[in-house]
Each structure stands twice: as C-alpha cells, then as structure tokens.
Amino acid sequence: MAIGWLTVLQSVPWSDVISNAPKVAEGAKKLWNMVGRQSEPPEPSEVSTQPAGVSEEQTLAGLAARTTALEAAVADLHDQMLASSELIKALAEQNAQLIQRIEANRVRVRWIGAAVVALALAALLGLLLVLR
C-alpha cells in the first residue's frame, strides 16, 4: 500500500503545484474579500403585477408571503456562500503552507543526499587507503 502512495506522489508534477500555489491562495483571498464585503444580501426588487380575478388584498398578501420566503432563501444562500468561500480560503492557505513545507523538505533531502554521497566517497577512499 505504501508503494502505491509513493507512485502517486512521484507522478504529481510538484513543480507545477509549487508554482501555482501562490495563485490559488491569491484567488481564494480575492474571492473571500469580494464575498466578505457584502455583509447583507441584496435587496429584492418589487413586483407590481396583479393576476386577473384576484382582489388587491389577496395579491398583496401573496406577494408579501413570496417576498418573505424569497428573502429567507436568499439569506440562507448568502450564508452558505460565505461559509463556502471561507472554507476555500482556509484550504488555499493550508495548501500554500503545505507546498512551502514540501519544498523545504525537498531541499533538505537534497542536502542530506549530497552529504551521504560525500561520506560514502570518503569511506570508500578510506577503505582503499587501508587496503593498500
């Protein structure tokens, strides 16, 4: 199972992921700022139509009920949109942090690899000197 994950991680184009992480984070920040600015849902427009054969009071009561229902639905959708955009922002920031840590680990692994190669060469040279 670990080999499957290793294969998946090796097939990821990390250079593309690393180069696009700041763009994703910036896009999420822009989305959050745009949605966060609108603290209140937009006001619904008034409808001035009256069906035939219905009294004016019934029409106004029906329109008021529909308006109330629509305002509640819009408010719920607005709250969901705010929560979704906040989640997207948090995920984008976590992704950017993860990419930074992966890049730092990649650099460390290269340094450690170079040190291991240097130590192996020194050990091989020491072995050759002892055997002569």
Side-chain angles (χ1 to χ4, degrees):
M1 185 168 192
I3 293 176
W5 279 107
L6 184 61
T7 304
V8 168
L9 289 175
Q10 288 176 346
S11 66
V12 172
W14 290 110
S15 60
D16 293 342
V17 173
I18 291 168
S19 65
N20 288 327
K23 295 176 191 173
V24 171
E26 187 62 31
K29 286 178 186 175
K30 286 180 182 177
L31 174 64
W32 174 248
N33 290 335
M34 183 178 67
V35 172
R37 264 185 288 178
Q38 301 171 352
S39 62
E40 292 295 321
E43 293 294 322
S45 61
E46 293 185 21
V47 179
S48 61
T49 60
Q50 183 176 355
V54 178
S55 71
E56 188 174 333
E57 291 93 17
Q58 290 174 338
T59 303
L60 290 176
L63 286 175
R66 286 181 62 198
T67 301
T68 303
L70 288 173
E71 286 174 347
V74 168
D76 287 343
L77 289 174
H78 189 263
D79 291 341
Q80 290 176 7
M81 183 179 62
L82 282 173
S84 296
S85 62
E86 184 176 353
L87 175 63
I88 290 169
K89 178 186 176 195
L91 289 174
E93 288 173 353
Q94 289 175 2
N95 185 39
Q97 291 173 357
L98 178 64
I99 297 303
Q100 289 173 348
R101 290 178 183 163
I102 288 172
E103 181 64 18
N105 286 338
R106 187 186 64 80
V107 170
R108 286 183 193 134
V109 166
R110 281 200 174 173
W111 278 105
I112 290 171
V116 167
V117 167
L119 288 174
L121 288 175
L124 184 62
L125 182 61
L127 183 63
L128 286 176
L129 289 176
V130 168
L131 291 177
R132 282 190 167 194

